[in-house]
Amino acid sequence: ETGVTQTPRHLVMGMTNKKSLKCEQHLGHNAMYWYKQSAKKPLELMFVYSLEERVENNSVPSRFSPECPNSSHLFLHLHTLQPEDSALYLCASSREGHSGNTIYFGEGSWLTVV
Amino acid sequence: AQTVTQSQPEMSVQEAETVTLSCTYDTSENNYYLFWYKQPPSRQMILVIRQEAYKQQNATENRFSVNFQKAAKSFSLKISDSQLGDTAMYFCAFMRGETSGSRLTFGEGTQLTVNP
């Protein structure tokens, strides 16, 4: 238990569906992240929220839409995905304001697009 | 841009023995941090150890230690007295020394198998 909880753990969706991944952190952190982990590829940073403001969007397609309503919750809204979007999506959090803060990860949400 | 390279896709070790995982990185930064994370079959990404670049002393956490060679931009992980539970994918990661929106750059990972 790292204090970062992701739901659902597994999700299967069709290409025309709309679904959301949820992340909640109980560590008192103020920055949250979405990473994508595909087979045979390094982890890719998708979005960064610091103090509830999006500070980075790494050229992620618009079919992925993040939302950070407060410092404890982060969502990833999914719409008209493609089969190549099937991957493990990892949420993470950290405390900003000091250099070199350790980032803590959730257990991930397995997404399969059919 | 920073890059992190792990040149060993797979490694194996016998239980109770010692194994070293390699990592090299490329950066023009002087202030940065390095991490090793492990990802067991559960896929939970777990922090193993971290190193501040400004510290010459190598970090140690119980059976895990690093050999940090700043000039060579090398950051290897040594696991002593390997245990079956150490079987996992190990990722080396780099973070710039910023105070906002910390970003990790990961290597490709090394799959470590500990054999009984």
Side-chain angles (χ1 to χ4, degrees), chain A residues 25 28-33 47-56 66-75 92-96, chain B residues 100-101:
Chain A
Q25 60 93 4
H29 291 165
N30 52 14
M32 297 187 77
Y33 312 79
F47 301 104
V48 180
Y49 277 84
S50 179
L51 301 174
E52 300 162 37
E53 284 192 30
R54 191 191 309 180
V55 296
E56 184 154 335
E67 179 189 0
C68 187
N70 55 61
S71 60
S72 298
H73 294 86
L74 183 66
F75 294 89
S93 70
S94 69
R95 168 154 291 282
E96 294 304 284
Chain B
S100 176

Side-chain angles (χ1 to χ4, degrees), chain B residues 68-96:
Chain B
F68 173 48
Q69 301 291 326
K70 190 172 184 179
K73 296 181 181 173
S74 170
F75 183 61
S76 61
L77 174 70
K78 185 171 82 170
I79 306 174
S80 303
D81 186 25
S82 298
Q83 301 176 359
L84 296 177
D86 295 333
T87 292
M89 181 74 86
Y90 285 80
F91 292 95
C92 179
F94 173 100
M95 179 190 291
R96 290 168 56 187

Side-chain angles (χ1 to χ4, degrees), chain B residues 1-101:
Chain B
Q2 289 71 229
T3 59
V4 178
T5 302
Q6 293 178 248
S7 59
Q8 305 153 315
E10 297 179 356
M11 291 193 73
S12 63
V13 64
Q14 291 300 119
E15 197 174 5
E17 294 188 347
T18 296
V19 63
T20 298
L21 308 183
S22 301
C23 173
T24 58
Y25 58 94
D26 187 24
T27 184
S28 58
E29 304 281 334
N30 193 48
N31 181 25
Y32 55 88
Y33 300 81
L34 296 163
F35 302 82
W36 279 99
Y37 283 85
K38 67 180 281 189
Q39 190 178 40
S42 68
R43 305 312 292 264
Q44 173 90 64
M45 192 72 77
I46 301 166
L47 177 68
V48 175
I49 200 165
R50 61 174 270 162
Q51 174 79 42
E52 292 86 351
Y54 60 84
K55 287 187 177 179
Q56 289 188 327
Q57 186 174 6
N58 289 325
T60 299
E61 286 290 342
N62 300 315
R63 297 182 295 107
F64 298 88
S65 61
V66 298
N67 183 3
F68 173 48
Q69 301 291 326
K70 190 172 184 179
K73 296 181 181 173
S74 170
F75 183 61
S76 61
L77 174 70
K78 185 171 82 170
I79 306 174
S80 303
D81 186 25
S82 298
Q83 301 176 359
L84 296 177
D86 295 333
T87 292
M89 181 74 86
Y90 285 80
F91 292 95
C92 179
F94 173 100
M95 179 190 291
R96 290 168 56 187
E98 346 180 76
T99 58
S100 176

Side-chain angles (χ1 to χ4, degrees), chain A residues 37-104:
Chain A
Q37 187 176 24
S38 305
K40 308 294 185 184
K41 292 175 70 175
L43 277 81
E44 303 169 66
L45 179 62
M46 300 175 72
F47 301 104
V48 180
Y49 277 84
S50 179
L51 301 174
E52 300 162 37
E53 284 192 30
R54 191 191 309 180
V55 296
E56 184 154 335
N57 175 346
N58 278 339
S59 303
V60 179
S62 60
R63 57 185 183 270
F64 294 92
S65 175
E67 179 189 0
C68 187
N70 55 61
S71 60
S72 298
H73 294 86
L74 183 66
F75 294 89
L76 187 62
H77 303 300
L78 314 169
H79 176 51
T80 59
L81 296 190
Q82 304 298 312
E84 60 265 29
D85 297 323
S86 298
L88 178 69
Y89 290 84
L90 290 163
C91 175
S93 70
S94 69
R95 168 154 291 282
E96 294 304 284
H98 296 88
S99 183
N101 290 305
T102 297
I103 294 178
Y104 294 91

Side-chain angles (χ1 to χ4, degrees), chain A residues 5-18:
Chain A
T5 304
Q6 291 186 239
T7 55
R9 296 293 314 280
H10 298 271
L11 176 63
V12 179
M13 60 184 288
M15 289 189 285
T16 59
N17 291 160
K18 288 184 181 181

